[in-house]
Amino acid sequence: MTGPREWWKTALGVLFTALMLFPVYWMVNVSLTKTSDMRADPPHWFPWNPTLDGYSAVFSQQLPNLATSLLIALGTVALTLVISAPAAYALSQLHLRGAGTLNFILLVAQMIPGVIMAMGFYSMYIKLGWLNSIWGLVIADSTVAVPFGVLLLTTFMAGIQRELLQAATIDGAGSWRTFRSIVLPISRNSLLTVSLFAFLWAWSDFIFASTLNRNGDLIPITLGIYKYIGNNTTEWNSIMATATVASIPAAVLLVIAQRYVAAGVTAGAVKD
Amino acid sequence: MNTTQTMSVGDASHLGGAAAATPTAPPERGLRAGTSSRQARRTRWAAVGFAAPLLAYLAAFYALPLYRNIELSLHDYTTRAFVQGNAEFVGLANYVDVVHSDTFTKALVNTGLFVAVSIVFQYSIGLALAVFFRQNFRLSGLLRGMFLIPWLLPMIVSASTWSWMLNSDSGIVNSVLQAFHVGQINWLTSPDTALLSVIIANIWLGIPFNLVILYSGLQNIPVDVYEAASLDGASGWQKFRLITFPLLRPVSGITILLGLIYTLKVVDVIWIMTTGGPGDASTTLAIWSYREAFGTGQPDFSPAAAVGNLLILIALVFGFVYLRMQRRMEES
């Protein structure tokens, strides 16, 4: 099929995409609007007369929060990988007893509402004195990613050729060396997918941040935006500028790793 | 999701999804007959060693919080009792109070509406787009990729953008409606439209997840089925009704159930846009629980935990349906 029909489809596709992404455009547009134009009627559809006030507010007020979020997200990635990669190896290649039960528990774990985990963590942390700590948030955020990580990595590692691992055993490699020098390098793409999702979830987390880190000195960017909305409802350009900056990791990851993103979403639900 | 949703996807955003594999590997054969049992024993211990961090993790950071949550719901906890640890045991009194509260019915109905309406639209729009993008026209891959953006954005970003778009006085939505001579709608502040507003935002958040999964389901339908149908003179609609939809049914079931589970959990979108208000107009069970525990100056953990545990029960019912459905799909 060639010719005009194809072009119609592309045009329609562009239209749908534009409609879908309109809120994203609107966020950027508002972030560049002057405070005095904010309540203009009708609103300005294009930032003809842009201002960077919103962004300078981000740099003067939100940089520490961005750094905190980065730290939390990286910590979550590390913790998720350290827990889930060895476990996936045990589940997929070492015939762990009770593997079926463990898989089942992991599936059920993903269904538990975040607000419930938040309450449980709150009552634990208040005793341990872990409230308002980065470490506490890293642990809480990782509970979203660990079950996903184990299940995804197990699926991948189960597909590694047994001959390869047996050859290593014959060469005298113990299971730790096999894991480190064969299984991990082969699983690179899956590890990347897991890291990517762990990062994004931790970066985007609102529930845990707003419950376990309400009075901290170091707050993540999501909470920064939330407090912003509460404090000043007039400077929406600053709020939207912060939101735009907070979206950058998602955008970057999508551009450089769209393949992995799609793989992760699908691996979650459908087994090929 | 999260799924946090998770697709919060629903919580579509925190969609962790649930990978399906229960790996079944052939039993390991010993390298030499004499060493096989020692080898097997060593492997078994190695397996425990590699799994140990996960087991400890699950005990400390899943089982313990859940246990604490049940304990909260069976006692009368105040902030002071939290610190002193002398809360009174009240049995199921918190559950009785919660179920008899005026908010309960409202929250249950709102949860049902929020979940059902969100899912119906997320799924049908997602399916329509998946069929459309399946046609592989120029730029279709790029555009499909861009559809993922709403799903990847932090929930606070999407929710606050929607809040501003739906603002009564200065929002773009009312401004466009005005051009069509529709009077001002107080989207977020009127009890009639608050729930509708958060549903609209949630549908938008969930479309990417539905699109991606249904699209991958479509890719698994063999092309020659369609070719044969074309030779028999089937129209596009007939092909959709007689081939696409029936063959996609297992994937559809899983998509919808995952959507259900993740939408039940949603807190952030609603909380950021309306905090469940005005009154209880957009309060769901998850929001109610969150508000009791963290939303007011006076934390009331015990009823919050009771609501939360009821929510777990509902989520688990759908969860088990999902697991059964997935097992059946693997067997076939």
Side-chain angles (χ1 to χ4, degrees), chain B residues 100-168:
Chain B
H100 285 117
S101 138
D102 290 338
T103 307
F104 183 72
T105 325
K106 184 73 181 163
L108 202 62
V109 171
N110 281 348
T111 307
L113 279 173
F114 181 74
V115 172
V117 178
S118 294
I119 299 281
V120 166
F121 282 92
Q122 284 172 2
Y123 173 76
S124 35
I125 297 173
L127 179 60
L129 286 168
V131 171
F132 175 70
F133 280 115
R134 185 74 185 93
Q135 293 172 305
N136 280 333
F137 46 87
R138 194 178 300 235
L139 294 183
S140 63
L142 175 75
L143 295 174
R144 197 162 43 81
M146 291 176 72
F147 258 82
L148 283 172
I149 291 176
W151 188 72
L152 294 170
L153 293 182
M155 198 69 91
I156 180 109
V157 168
S158 322
S160 48
T161 306
W162 275 99
S163 290
W164 184 242
M165 284 171 55
L166 292 172
N167 184 286
S168 300

Side-chain angles (χ1 to χ4, degrees), chain A residues 24-81:
Chain A
V24 181
Y25 166 73
W26 199 245
M27 168 180 80
V28 178
N29 182 29
V30 172
S31 77
L32 296 168
T33 305
K34 289 203 162 108
T35 311
S36 53
D37 293 341
M38 200 58 71
R39 304 224 169 232
D41 186 29
H44 294 213
W45 284 83
F46 304 99
W48 292 128
N49 193 6
T51 172
L52 290 176
D53 290 353
Y55 289 90
S56 69
V58 174
F59 284 104
S60 60
Q61 297 162 31
Q62 301 285 351
L63 277 186
N65 300 345
L66 286 165
T68 307
S69 279
L70 188 66
L71 205 62
I72 292 173
L74 291 176
T76 305
V77 170
L79 181 60
T80 303
L81 290 181

Side-chain angles (χ1 to χ4, degrees), chain B residues 123-284:
Chain B
Y123 173 76
S124 35
I125 297 173
L127 179 60
L129 286 168
V131 171
F132 175 70
F133 280 115
R134 185 74 185 93
Q135 293 172 305
N136 280 333
F137 46 87
R138 194 178 300 235
L139 294 183
S140 63
L142 175 75
L143 295 174
R144 197 162 43 81
M146 291 176 72
F147 258 82
L148 283 172
I149 291 176
W151 188 72
L152 294 170
L153 293 182
M155 198 69 91
I156 180 109
V157 168
S158 322
S160 48
T161 306
W162 275 99
S163 290
W164 184 242
M165 284 171 55
L166 292 172
N167 184 286
S168 300
D169 302 316
S170 323
I172 186 74
V173 174
N174 272 351
S175 167
V176 169
L177 289 178
Q178 223 164 36
F180 293 96
H181 304 291
V182 179
Q184 176 175 318
I185 300 176
N186 295 318
W187 290 101
L188 301 172
T189 48
S190 151
D192 301 325
T193 49
L195 186 64
L196 177 66
S197 305
V198 293
I199 289 176
I200 292 174
N202 192 56
I203 291 171
W204 181 78
L205 285 166
I207 289 174
F209 168 67
N210 282 266
L211 168 62
V212 171
I213 298 205
L214 292 168
Y215 181 85
S216 85
L218 286 181
Q219 280 183 310
N220 290 340
I221 299 177
V223 185
D224 35 337
V225 185
Y226 289 106
E227 282 167 0
S230 293
L231 288 178
D232 290 343
S235 70
W237 170 246
Q238 279 176 323
K239 276 190 248 177
F240 175 78
R241 203 167 52 92
L242 299 172
I243 302 173
T244 310
F245 200 66
L247 287 180
L248 206 58
R249 191 175 294 157
V251 179
S252 296
I254 281 184
T255 313
I256 288 174
L257 270 169
L258 273 182
L260 268 173
I261 294 162
Y262 291 109
T263 312
L264 274 175
K265 304 203 287 192
V266 169
V267 168
D268 12 23
V269 196
I270 305 181
W271 186 258
I272 294 160
M273 288 179 70
T274 68
T275 63
D280 285 336
S282 54
T283 296
T284 60

Side-chain angles (χ1 to χ4, degrees), chain A residues 10 20 23 39 43 104 107 110 113 116-117 119 123 142-143 148 197 200-201 210-211 214 226 258 266 268-269, chain B residues 13 15-18 57 61-62 68 82 138 145 151-152 161 170 175 204 213 216 265 271 289-290 294 308 312 320:
Chain A
T10 304
M20 184 72 182
R39 304 224 169 232
F104 178 74
L107 285 171
Q110 295 182 308
I116 288 158
M117 296 299 285
M119 267 185 281
S123 76
S142 72
T143 57
F148 168 78
F197 276 85
L200 269 185
W201 286 330
S210 69
T211 53
R214 288 194 292 178
Y226 185 66
Q258 192 197 334
T266 339
Chain B
S13 88
L15 158 89
Y57 177 93
F61 303 128
Y62 261 103
R68 288 288 298 147
F82 243 131
R138 194 178 300 235
W151 188 72
L152 294 170
T161 306
S170 323
S175 167
W204 181 78
I213 298 205
S216 85
K265 304 203 287 192
W271 186 258
S289 177
Y290 183 90
F294 304 106
I312 288 198
F320 285 118

Side-chain angles (χ1 to χ4, degrees), chain B residues 25-41:
Chain B
E28 184 154 308
R29 266 160 293 165
L31 299 173
R32 266 161 269 141
T35 58
S36 75
S37 82
R38 195 194 308 157
Q39 181 78 31
R41 205 176 318 132

Side-chain angles (χ1 to χ4, degrees), chain A:
Chain A
M1 259 193 259
T2 48
R5 242 188 113 180
E6 284 290 277
W7 280 107
W8 264 113
K9 284 180 187 164
T10 304
L12 211 55
V14 170
L15 179 71
F16 289 154
T17 314
L19 274 174
M20 184 72 182
L21 295 186
F22 179 78
V24 181
Y25 166 73
W26 199 245
M27 168 180 80
V28 178
N29 182 29
V30 172
S31 77
L32 296 168
T33 305
K34 289 203 162 108
T35 311
S36 53
D37 293 341
M38 200 58 71
R39 304 224 169 232
D41 186 29
H44 294 213
W45 284 83
F46 304 99
W48 292 128
N49 193 6
T51 172
L52 290 176
D53 290 353
Y55 289 90
S56 69
V58 174
F59 284 104
S60 60
Q61 297 162 31
Q62 301 285 351
L63 277 186
N65 300 345
L66 286 165
T68 307
S69 279
L70 188 66
L71 205 62
I72 292 173
L74 291 176
T76 305
V77 170
L79 181 60
T80 303
L81 290 181
V82 164
I83 302 278
S84 56
Y89 176 50
L91 279 164
S92 62
Q93 295 288 348
L94 299 176
H95 323 305
L96 181 73
R97 284 196 178 178
T101 319
L102 193 53
N103 266 314
F104 178 74
I105 290 174
L106 291 169
L107 285 171
V108 172
Q110 295 182 308
M111 297 166 187
I112 297 166
V115 60
I116 288 158
M117 296 299 285
M119 267 185 281
F121 275 121
Y122 187 89
S123 76
M124 278 168 66
Y125 284 7
I126 203 170
K127 282 187 182 159
L128 296 166
W130 288 7
L131 286 177
N132 306 322
S133 72
I134 288 188
W135 182 235
L137 272 188
V138 166
I139 289 176
D141 285 346
S142 72
T143 57
V144 183
V146 163
F148 168 78
V150 177
L151 292 169
L152 187 121
L153 290 171
T154 305
T155 312
F156 179 82
M157 288 180 190
I160 298 178
Q161 287 190 344
R162 305 194 67 74
E163 290 76 14
L164 206 60
L165 302 181
Q166 272 165 2
T169 316
I170 291 170
D171 289 345
S175 39
W176 173 248
R177 261 197 53 204
T178 312
F179 173 66
R180 218 194 44 191
S181 46
I182 299 183
V183 176
L184 281 187
I186 293 182
S187 313
R188 212 193 58 194
N189 283 357
S190 310
L191 293 169
L192 248 159
T193 307
V194 172
S195 309
L196 209 137
F197 276 85
F199 187 95
L200 269 185
W201 286 330
W203 179 269
S204 315
D205 163 68
F206 173 78
I207 291 193
F208 289 131
S210 69
T211 53
L212 306 175
N213 192 1
R214 288 194 292 178
N215 314 308
D217 299 328
L218 295 172
I219 57 169
I221 189 68
T222 49
L223 214 50
I225 298 176
Y226 185 66
K227 292 196 166 166
Y228 231 147
I229 301 176
N231 292 342
N232 57 38
T233 41
T234 49
E235 291 181 21
W236 273 87
N237 47 12
S238 307
I239 298 173
M240 289 291 109
T242 318
T244 307
V245 174
S247 310
I248 289 174
V252 170
L253 289 175
L254 186 69
V255 171
I256 60 172
Q258 192 197 334
R259 207 153 53 96
Y260 302 113
V261 174
V265 181
T266 339
V270 186
K271 204 180 145 205
D272 296 314

